[in-house]
Amino acid sequence: MLNIVLFGPPGAGKGTQSENLITKYNLVHLSTGDIFRSNIKGETELGKKAKAFMDKGELVPDSVTISMLESEVEKYPNAKGFIFDGFPRTSAQAQALDQFLTSKNTSITCMLALEVEETELIARLLNRAKTSGRADDADVNIVRNRITVYNRETAPVAEFYKKQDKYRGIYGIGSVEEISNRLFDAINAVVLN
Ligand code: AMP
């Protein structure tokens, strides 16, 4: 299987790039943010639990997020692989994902980390708010909090994959196509190795 963690701060381009990766490699795209948003829309119990955290730009608790992610993976027993977009976002999530994939006789192939500086992220998110309809993109204070939470809780997750020699940094500025090509090159280098 080809299991990729697509990593990076809010606004780095994970969602956009996921679309190109799933098409090229025939993978299942699991975006925890998208799954939470569709649960909020559907007014499910999970959606109710997640909403208060998302509205503030805080992380949804690990217990809720991990069990949701695992049940999503279970829905695709014949998948050739997964793109994990927005997960793991804490060290506990990274450990849980490793254990879960090991129990399925598979593992993470690599973490591809989109690197974009903070001023660019804020500009992108505020611009995205015009079309995304996301309240957490439209308010600059929430946007800043999401980046703060990323730096505090999520950025350290990179270390987990660096220790396993699975981390690949990808320069995240350029056209969508240029960045996709950088991602393809990184995947091919890992897979052909
Ligand atoms: P995203 O669509 O990835 O920007 O995520 C939007 C929001 O969903 C985040 O600000 C968090 O509140 C929540 N969220 C998404 N993924 C996770 C995760 N792996 N762990 C905790 N909260 C998450």
Side-chain angles (χ1 to χ4, degrees), residues 122-139:
I122 294 171
R124 282 190 190 179
L125 289 169
L126 295 175
N127 191 45
R128 185 172 81 180
K130 294 176 194 157
T131 51
S132 71
R134 285 178 53 174
D136 64 344
D137 284 347
D139 180 325

Side-chain angles (χ1 to χ4, degrees), residues 21-141:
L21 291 172
I22 54 171
T23 313
K24 182 157 174 99
Y25 296 100
N26 198 7
L27 305 172
V28 174
H29 178 208
L30 293 184
S31 155
T32 41
D34 285 351
I35 301 165
F36 283 134
R37 280 185 288 278
S38 77
N39 275 276
I40 290 174
K41 218 172 166 188
E43 297 180 356
T44 67
E45 280 307 308
L46 179 66
K48 283 177 202 156
K49 280 186 199 158
K51 189 172 185 314
F53 297 97
M54 292 175 73
D55 283 349
K56 287 184 283 189
E58 295 290 330
L59 295 183
V60 178
D62 282 336
S63 56
V64 175
T65 307
I66 291 166
S67 56
M68 175 189 85
L69 189 277
E70 291 183 357
S71 54
E72 286 295 321
V73 171
E74 302 282 10
K75 288 182 188 168
Y76 303 93
N78 300 319
K80 291 178 75 176
F82 293 90
I83 302 268
F84 297 101
D85 164 4
F87 185 96
R89 257 177 158 100
T90 64
S91 301
Q93 292 179 16
Q95 278 164 24
L97 181 63
D98 252 25
Q99 275 174 21
F100 178 68
L101 294 179
T102 302
S103 78
K104 307 245 152 240
N105 292 318
T106 185
S107 58
I108 290 298
T109 311
C110 59
M111 165 182 267
L112 302 176
L114 291 169
E115 295 166 349
V116 177
E117 57 265 23
E118 202 161 307
T119 46
E120 170 75 11
L121 295 173
I122 294 171
R124 282 190 190 179
L125 289 169
L126 295 175
N127 191 45
R128 185 172 81 180
K130 294 176 194 157
T131 51
S132 71
R134 285 178 53 174
D136 64 344
D137 284 347
D139 180 325
V140 74
N141 292 320

Side-chain angles (χ1 to χ4, degrees), residues 4-8 11-29 31 34 83-85 112-116 124 128 170-185 187:
I4 294 169
V5 174
L6 191 55
F7 194 68
K14 300 187 293 295
T16 306
Q17 292 301 331
S18 290
E19 295 308 317
N20 288 344
L21 291 172
I22 54 171
T23 313
K24 182 157 174 99
Y25 296 100
N26 198 7
L27 305 172
V28 174
H29 178 208
S31 155
D34 285 351
I83 302 268
F84 297 101
D85 164 4
L112 302 176
L114 291 169
E115 295 166 349
V116 177
R124 282 190 190 179
R128 185 172 81 180
I170 307 290
Y171 184 52
I173 308 264
S175 70
V176 171
E177 195 189 352
E178 278 164 352
I179 299 164
S180 292
N181 285 329
R182 290 174 203 149
L183 292 166
F184 298 156
D185 288 348
I187 293 172

